[in-house]
Amino acid sequence: MTDAAPSAVPALEVEGIRKIYRLGEVEIRALDDVSLQVAPGSFVAVMGPSGSGKSTLLHLMGLLDAPDAGVVRIRGTDTGGLDDDALTALRRDEIGFVFQTFELIPNLSARENALLPAEVAGRLEPAQARLATLGARLGIADRLDHRPAQLSGGQRQRVALARALVVEPAILFADEPTGNLDATTGEQIVDLMFSLHRERGTTLVMVTHDLALAERSGRVIAMRDGEIDGASVHHTQIAAQ
Amino acid sequence: MTDAAASGGPDPLAAIARRLPLPLRFALRELRGGLRGFYVFIGCIALGVAAIASVGSVSRSLVNGISEEGQAILGGDLTFSVIHRQLEADQLTYLDSLGRVSEIATLRAMARTPDSGAQTLIELKAVDGAYPLFGTFEIEGDGEAAGGDLHDLISATGEKPGLVADAGLAERLGIEVGDAVSIGNAEFVLNGLIAREPDRLGSGLGWGPRVVISTEALEATGLVQPGSLVRWRYRVALPEPASESDVAAAKTQTQEKYPDAGWRIRDRSNAAPGLRDQIYRFTMFLTLVGLTALVVGGVGVANAVSAYLDGRRGTIATLKSLGAGGGMIFRSYLAEILLLALAAILIGLIVGALTPWLAGSALASVLPVADAVPGVYPAKLLQALAYGVLIALAFALWPLGRAREVPATALYREHVAAVRARPRFVYIAALAAILLALIGLTVGLAYEPFMAALFVGGTVAAFVVLRLVGVGIMALARRIPHSRWLEWRLAVAAIHRPGAVTPSVVLSLGLGLTLLVTIALIDGNLTRQLTVALPDRAPSFFFLDIPRGDAEAFRETVSATVPDGRVEEVPMLRGRFVSLKGIPVADYPAPPEAGWVLRGDRGITYSETPPENGRIVAGEWWPSDYDGPPLVSFADEIAGELGLAIGDEVEVNVLGRPITAKIANLRTVDWTSLSINFVMVFSPNTFAGAPHMVLATVTMPEGARSDSELAVMREVTRAFPTVTSVRVKEALDTINSLVRRLAWAVRAASGLTIAAGILVLAGALAASHRHRIHDAVVLKTLGATRRRLIGAYVLEFALVGAVTAVFALAAGTIAAMIVIEQVMELDFAFLPLVAVGAVGGALVLTVGLGLAGTWRVLGRKPAAYLRDL
């Protein structure tokens, strides 16, 4: 099933992608012939029950994994022919991730965690200036020298958000970013993500179970059994699903 | 490094940190997590490096001591030694022209109390007034003679000359300072006990206590007869300062002036070549054992690194999702592992560097190189460092290479994402290069490369086979039929589960245990040879320096004392090889295993008929009335090693005369029989008219008691005071005692391997605790009692331990058999007590360590763990 959105050069495009996992003799068709385009600067929510393939879709779009068939394009670049180093560089320069379980490195301070993508890219100094601004904006400026174990869940997710944005990626992927947070904290996080998305024009693709969150997106992709279930819908039609 | 510093905060360290390469920066940050999980890693590497560094440093300390004391050990800058005779006058005049000269004589003799009630074999040394040219001869003394001067003490005191001796003489004869002692035909007074003999090390192995008399008094003993086994040494001290080149020049000049003198020349740079060679050989062996400990420790390294990187999968996956390449991840964790390895190596090097000081006094009692000042020996420490680094890399590279392949999706799909089972080819190639470097270093630096290569090959083979045994145990466990017995089912399942500790347990325990069994069996078999097998076959006595004219009387005396005893006699001379096939000995290409024959003096005899205990394998024996050019019968094995054949000519120097003989036949010689055996037996006409003594052996009848032996010794000494008696049992006891002391050193070194194995075992079992805790909690929740769980664990550890012990026993037995039969050419016997000890010890160790950590866990309430599942 294809989902199309109008765009000059899509920020993100997948075409006919397929992903099969094998567990011993069992074959799991995680994605089956999925195509969609995401316009630059848009906010897209991906929803679906467990096992629908939404996380797999996110991984493939985020170049964390490779499809068994189909094409993934990042800002018009076909990633199929790129080697591992090139994919890594593309991921580093164009993509930011926010995970449900934060995935901060425990032995590093919040500052070191946040600067890690820039450090890996060899662009530490400009990133330090950006972090100063981001830290203030995210309300974690006074916590940057603490280790993750010394931070609350919300603070950790803010650090993760800072990490995702410090290299100014074109696309931000968020995989259930509020899944491990209480409702109030989750809402704060989403508010921040949404604000930053709008201020910076970062394309935001978010996997979520949260209907209220999905309502704030411009477009919802519904997944079921590895396929896009129907055309993407605007938030006003979510309640009917 | 503070977090703020590493983050680039206002901290002096921050500036330094920023300049470090990214992988090193990341490695230092990862180390903030502490050393948990790395204690076994550090312990294993530190232990192995300490062993190698200690052995190397102590060895170098001893060898340096021998070199620094070369003049004192040798007794001069140069030594000229001959046997049976003294030097000619013109030779003496020549030596006098070189520098100061001291003449001494050494021989074995019998010392007895004047009433002949007690007697003992002694190492007799007669010295002139110039002795010692170097070093100090120190007397313990007693009463009036306390700390006295040697020459005062050994000069005539009233009618009797004096002597000084090792305390052993006084113990064996039951006498004190001031008492009388008879040697040969002369009576002496014991005037003092030796505290330090500066040239003792240069004399080699002694069979009895040292006794020192004057050369004037030696004549009175009647021990010096034509052909008697007296070695005369002439030590020369060149005018000071005498450099190495001065010594070499004097040596060359002397060899050119007297090419046929038949003397053996040694210089101070090689004062105790035999001892130095033995130190090198022993060092090599102990280094190899230390390296084995390091290899066993390498298993611990691999386990620790694998466990650590497994725990870092999330971090690695996160890094990859953030854009870190596999290369950066590999380099970062490699840097971290190397930092830890270097810290461990440093600990090992410090211990190794300190060992010569710590072991100094203990070693002095074994090797009296009293002035050996311990030092720091950079070359030996560097060698140990190289081994440590190579082992750490060799065992860490594989898990590091695999960690590089952890995909970003490991954040989500722990088991679905297919991770490469093997690292990339470049890491496998690097691993191969490291292993080759390790083998090259081991064999290249070894004193005997062939032995080192054998050892390395054996270790590699044991390693490979143990891996297969571990895999085999798991495969077998998988196929065992289902049982109703719960404990058995749990134990068998735990043996072959994914991530089971079985391969680690088998490897770590098996390697150390194999080495221990090998050494124990070799040691046991050598002891058996020395205390049972050899004594059964060897004669009871050797009697040396029997005058030819007294041979018949000697036989009658023995027969009268022990009528059923068997007496064998042969003429006895000593000579040195001068040339083989016309090639001077110095230039002859002799292989190392036959080199001993060409060094020093050899026993020589002549005979009309072939020896009874030999068999002619090539050529013909000469007729009993042969009167042609000299012929010689050669020991066939040594002839083969030296490349000699029937018809080849050998030249020997006997009593100062060169003798050239053609090899007429080759015969077998069983050296282990300890009966009268000679490398060369000449045709009788060769030594017609030459002065010589007779060598005899006496074999007591079966069942003869010790007092019968002592009676023979007493009667012979009384009737023939100049004849030297060597009681074989006592000689074997001396060797046995030396072998036992060496064996303890070897056992200590192999104990290190066991210690490393225990560390690794403990680490492997600790790493599996997480799974055990999980299983135990679930089973307890489902109703399994603690007793049943413990039963299952005991069974699991006992099964693995037992199989490992059986393998180690088999492998150790095979290795020991090869060494005993092929290298030492002795008969091998399996020793059951060793077998039981090895199996029992392995089981206790495995079960004990395995239960140690689990016991505590089983007492906890499940809820605390279930919350974390």
Side-chain angles (χ1 to χ4, degrees), chain B residues 584-596:
Chain B
V585 154
D587 302 326
Y588 196 81
E593 58 271 21
W596 66 274

Side-chain angles (χ1 to χ4, degrees), chain B residues 27 30-31 38 308 331-341:
Chain B
E30 282 285 69
L31 283 173
F38 281 111
Y308 175 70
R331 286 190 296 276
S332 298
Y333 286 104
L334 175 66
E336 188 182 353
I337 298 301
L338 278 178
L339 283 172
L340 288 167

Side-chain angles (χ1 to χ4, degrees), chain A residues 24-97:
Chain A
E25 293 176 3
V26 175
E27 209 175 74
I28 302 166
R29 299 177 80 84
L31 288 179
D32 194 2
D33 193 24
V34 169
S35 299
L36 67 89
Q37 291 178 349
V38 176
S42 62
F43 177 4
V44 173
V46 180
M47 297 190 73
S50 284
S52 59
K54 56 185 187 299
S55 291
T56 304
L57 178 62
L58 201 75
H59 300 159
L60 294 179
M61 290 194 294
L63 306 182
L64 296 183
D65 203 352
D68 293 317
V71 177
V72 176
R73 293 190 189 88
I74 303 290
R75 295 170 78 180
T77 303
D78 182 349
T79 62
L82 300 180
D83 63 19
D84 190 54
D85 286 346
L87 284 173
T88 302
L90 196 57
R91 197 163 58 235
R92 187 172 59 224
D93 297 336
E94 302 286 352
I95 296 171
F97 282 98

